[in-house]
Amino acid sequence: MTELTASPSPGPDGGPTAPGAPAVPEPGSGSAALLRAEGLTKHFKIGNTLSQRTLHAVDDVDLAVGERQIVALAGESGSGKSTIARLLAQIYRPTSGHIYFEGKPLSSIRSRADRLRYSGLVPMVFQDPFASINPVFRVSHGVQRSLKLHRPDLSKQQRQDEMLRVFDVVGLAPAADVIQRYPHELSGGQRQRVGFAQALATRPKLILADEPVSMLDVSIRIGLLNLMAELRDAAGVSILYITHDLASARYVADRLVIMYAAQIAESGPIEEVLAHPKHPYTQLLLSAVPDPRAPLGVSAETDRGEPPKVIDPTPGCRFRGRCPLAMETCQTVTPVLNPVAAGHEVACHVAQSGAEVEAF
Amino acid sequence: MSSRAVELTSQSGPPARPGAILDVRDLSVEYLLDSGIVAAVDRVSFSLGAGEFVAIVGESGCGKSTLLFAIAQLLSPPAEITGGSVLFQGRNLVGLTDSQLTAIRWKDLSVVMQSAMNALNPVKSIGAQFKDAMRAHGVNSREEIAARSAEVLRMVGIDPLHLHSYPHQLSGGMRQRSMIAMALLFTPKLVIMDEPTSALDVVAQRSLMVQIKELQQQFGFAVIFVTHDMSLVSHFSDHLMVMYAGQVAELGPTQQLFDSPAHPYTAGLMEAFPSIRGPRRPLKGIPGSPPDLARPPHGCRFAPRCPKVMDRCRAEPPGLYNVDGTQVRCVLYEGGAGRGSAS
Ligand SMILES: Nc1ncnc2c1ncn2[C@@H]1O[C@H](COP(=O)(O)OP(=O)(O)O)[C@@H](O)[C@H]1O
Ligand SMILES: Nc1ncnc2c1ncn2[C@@H]1O[C@H](COP(=O)(O)OP(=O)(O)O)[C@@H](O)[C@H]1O
Ligand code: SF4
Ligand SMILES: [Mg+2]
Ligand SMILES: [Mg+2]
């Protein structure tokens, strides 16, 4: 296995790297996938013993993340994005389905040591930079702990050097000064960088970033998006970037996966999907992105729906209640993902019929 | 502070417009802390006509919430209004007694806070909270309360069945909508909103914005809308006020500010969000962060982050200059340069 060595500091000002996609092979099209999920499903039992019902948080999701690739997982609140991240991080056990990391099934991980190794290779960064760092310790604490746990071979001095290095990589300069501070002495953006530093300390191959910029000021988001692009380009880290904002997804990601009501609605190379969105829901998400340069779409007036909680679902397209194009078939037959162009898949009866989709 | 005397001689915002429903004039707010004074709002002036929509944008910490609280007279120690006036329907709200303010709040002027989860009472149903608000303003008839509560919920697109729901049973978008419904119980003339959509996802955010705009057009109330996301308001606000470090950086018609941002800070905010269209290109955002308002920089407060900075920017604070019908606080416009000199 090749060890990851993050390149030294990309410059303390965190200057922008072109976010453009590097040439990478399509994942899922062979052996290139670093992580692959097949038929990933997570159900929760809800209600009491008298009326037990099943909430479908994730249903039959196939997903692949390639080496040096940022995959954006996008959808409204409640669509199942965080549950996918938790399944991939082994925080949840899937109801069914399989996850393969570097070709090996996660279900084969039995020992504590292997589990620890996996959590170091595939760490998570959370939405709330305030909740994910312990407020009573200096920011060095979390990174130190990670290093001791995941890389016990390091000497005290090596640990210190490594800590300075990761703080440097995430643009927290001067690192020697920042590590001494307490979380409340940092801004939201800086705290989120600490989250990434902590993730980097374990020499990850794939970072599961669950809405890492959603709670930050717009002006701070760009810096973190640039950081993610830099981690991919310079350090070769892959990222699953969870977001509800397609504009930020487009800025950093190579591939886009659109979730709706626990299922994948559409996926493919990001520019292809955004230039030719085939699923009405993708079109809805796209129309909702505030864009001062575009006229206000009519769509905005018509959509008042909310994503459903998927409880004991019946067959049929889960988007049909909000979809202006829904046909007879959509009421009764659940659409499955099918290719419409190279690497571009969509789960919509209308799109698959070859008809022009202009829903929003 | 020596910089202060100099700046005081500069113009103080646009003149009050005849018929304005709200006229904020030279409003200043300070947090009086043991460690020193935080000048969170510094001589802000603007006015708002009946039925108009003004958006206030700027990064966190620029004083937006403090300004809103000052307008609505909701500040509490250590915050204090240290100067200026807030003329609402011709009456200065600064210095009114609590009971005078209670008569105005909700009925003529209502406020929607950033987080409905914090503003709503978690252990009371939506209906019970509406009832409390109406009772506090002398509406006691059960029929009237029930009818109006159902009506305002319907106005924001929520089934009145949800009067029986508790806040945690509603989605984030529905909670924000019920906050807005509550703010409309008495058909106010002015609704003040502090980042009402910031906790929502893009779809819910867009749908709430459209809803607010429709209600505003239908009922004719004026809106002050605060957000850190400038891209959000381009289609919705008539006027845009860009705040930086407690001051007005730029103020004018929304379209004009978007088409040709004059202040380097406005230009920076415009460059801070990626676009869904056009070529993918790297963005820098605005390097650095807003200053600590306990110790604002000498001269122009934006100077430490400004790509256009010159020596004289650091020498003394720029005035607020009239530029093509807008207000811009930047020395680039001192000699009467036109808009667009920042780009
Ligand atoms: N531990 C849990 N128990 C029950 N329901 C859950 C749990 N976690 C998530 N859910 C439900 O699963 C659905 C998907 O949630 P989540 O993965 O958090 O979505 P997202 O991250 O896209 O907002 C939601 O309906 C949510 O309420
Ligand atoms: N309760 C408070 N005590 C002391 N300083 C405060 C308090 N609330 C806000 N401030 C300071 O006032 C300034 C403006 O804050 P705020 O009005 O919340 O800005 P915004 O809403 O634009 O984020 C900030 O510098 C902040 O630190
Ligand atoms: S006055 Fe100078 S420093 Fe301030 S915004 Fe204008 S150019 Fe920049
Ligand atoms: Mg989530
Ligand atoms: Mg605020």
Side-chain angles (χ1 to χ4, degrees), chain A residues 266 277-288 297-303 319-320 322-326 348 350-351 355-360:
Chain A
E266 182 161 10
K278 294 285 191 239
H279 199 290
Y281 180 61
T282 310
Q283 297 183 351
L284 169 62
L285 271 187
L286 206 47
S287 76
V298 224
S299 54
E301 267 84 354
T302 51
D303 182 72
F319 189 58
R320 63 183 188 269
R322 292 169 83 180
C323 183
L325 304 182
C348 162
V350 177
E356 199 59 40
V357 177
E358 256 180 67
F360 291 97

Side-chain angles (χ1 to χ4, degrees), chain B residues 107-148:
Chain B
K107 286 201 145 164
D108 295 316
L109 176 164
S110 55
V111 184
V112 178
M113 296 298 176
Q114 179 156 5
S115 164
M117 209 43 186
N118 298 337
L120 290 169
N121 186 337
V123 299
K124 280 193 171 180
S125 70
I126 300 294
Q129 303 192 42
F130 284 14
K131 188 165 74 187
D132 289 351
M134 292 185 80
R135 285 218 170 126
H137 288 88
V139 183
N140 288 308
S141 143
R142 287 179 63 156
E143 293 76 40
E144 197 181 338
I145 290 173
R148 184 62 184 161

Side-chain angles (χ1 to χ4, degrees), chain A residues 42-46 55-58 74-86 92 127 210-211 242-243 259 262 307-311, chain B residues 201:
Chain A
K42 181 67 186 175
H43 294 170
F44 294 104
K45 294 264 175 269
I46 56 170
L55 183 146
H56 294 222
V58 175
E76 281 162 285
S77 309
S79 55
K81 307 181 298 294
S82 295
T83 305
I84 289 189
R86 293 194 186 111
Y92 289 157
Q127 173 172 11
D210 192 356
E211 305 215 32
I242 294 179
T243 183
M259 292 279 297
K309 266 199 183 305
V310 188
I311 297 166
Chain B
D201 68 44

Side-chain angles (χ1 to χ4, degrees), chain A:
Chain A
M1 199 178 70
T2 48
E3 290 281 43
L4 166 80
T5 29
S7 73
S9 166
D13 63 352
T17 15
V24 285
E26 289 292 316
S29 64
S31 58
L34 175 65
L35 178 132
R36 199 156 47 83
E38 278 177 12
L40 196 59
T41 299
K42 181 67 186 175
H43 294 170
F44 294 104
K45 294 264 175 269
I46 56 170
N48 51 37
T49 39
L50 291 176
S51 68
Q52 182 137 112
R53 297 187 300 163
T54 306
L55 183 146
H56 294 222
V58 175
D59 261 343
D60 198 22
V61 161
D62 293 344
L63 187 76
V65 183
E67 303 261 4
R68 282 181 180 268
Q69 197 176 49
I70 298 181
V71 174
L73 183 60
E76 281 162 285
S77 309
S79 55
K81 307 181 298 294
S82 295
T83 305
I84 289 189
R86 293 194 186 111
L87 287 164
L88 299 181
Q90 287 207 301
I91 296 169
Y92 289 157
R93 195 181 269 286
T95 304
S96 61
H98 300 279
I99 302 166
Y100 302 88
F101 183 69
E102 296 181 319
K104 289 192 278 296
L106 290 196
S107 54
S108 69
I109 294 182
R110 301 247 180 262
S111 70
R112 214 184 96 82
D114 282 349
R115 204 173 270 279
L116 187 65
R117 182 178 155 277
Y118 178 75
S119 70
L121 288 170
V122 188
M124 234 173 133
V125 173
F126 298 92
Q127 173 172 11
D128 185 355
F130 302 79
S132 56
I133 317 177
N134 194 328
V136 305
F137 295 113
R138 294 180 200 276
V139 298
S140 56
H141 178 84
V143 177
Q144 281 284 1
R145 228 187 59 157
S146 265
L147 286 171
K148 279 185 195 159
L149 193 64
H150 290 276
R151 297 164 70 183
D153 47 310
L154 296 186
S155 70
K156 198 165 175 227
Q157 183 58 49
Q158 284 171 318
R159 258 203 318 270
Q160 185 69 15
D161 293 346
E162 183 61 5
M163 182 160 69
L164 293 176
R165 186 186 70 81
V166 293
F167 273 86
D168 221 32
V169 170
V170 299
L172 287 171
D177 169 38
V178 177
I179 58 169
Q180 294 298 325
R181 299 205 210 150
Y182 288 93
H184 69 87
E185 298 173 302
L186 301 179
S187 69
Q190 288 176 316
R191 268 183 273 220
Q192 203 53 289
R193 284 176 194 266
V194 172
F196 276 97
Q198 212 158 306
L200 279 184
T202 60
R203 288 185 291 187
K205 296 221 136 188
L206 168 64
I207 295 176
L208 305 169
D210 192 356
E211 305 215 32
V213 302
S214 299
M215 289 186 55
L216 302 177
D217 252 38
V218 168
S219 58
I220 296 164
R221 289 180 192 169
I222 279 294
L224 273 145
L225 296 174
N226 284 337
L227 170 63
M228 294 200 293
E230 241 163 57
L231 291 179
R232 170 193 59 198
D233 299 341
V237 179
S238 297
I239 297 174
L240 182 70
Y241 171 50
I242 294 179
T243 183
H244 58 80
D245 173 20
L246 290 184
S248 72
R250 178 177 186 234
Y251 186 72
V252 288
D254 307 300
R255 290 184 59 84
L256 176 63
V257 177
I258 305 277
M259 292 279 297
Y260 187 77
Q263 297 168 325
I264 293 178
E266 182 161 10
S267 72
I270 192 154
E271 285 298 304
E272 153 74 17
V273 174
L274 293 182
H276 310 287
K278 294 285 191 239
H279 199 290
Y281 180 61
T282 310
Q283 297 183 351
L284 169 62
L285 271 187
L286 206 47
S287 76
V289 176
D291 188 350
R293 295 158 196 97
L296 183 61
V298 224
S299 54
E301 267 84 354
T302 51
D303 182 72
R304 285 289 150 74
E306 299 230 354
K309 266 199 183 305
V310 188
I311 297 166
D312 297 331
T314 52
C317 176
R318 292 181 184 172
F319 189 58
R320 63 183 188 269
R322 292 169 83 180
C323 183
L325 304 182
M327 325 175 286
E328 191 88 22
T329 335
C330 309
Q331 311 299 329
T332 49
V333 183
T334 309
V336 294
L337 275 178
N338 265 315
V340 284
H344 183 175
E345 300 189 311
V346 63
C348 162
H349 294 306
V350 177
Q352 286 168 6
S353 75
E356 199 59 40
V357 177
E358 256 180 67
F360 291 97

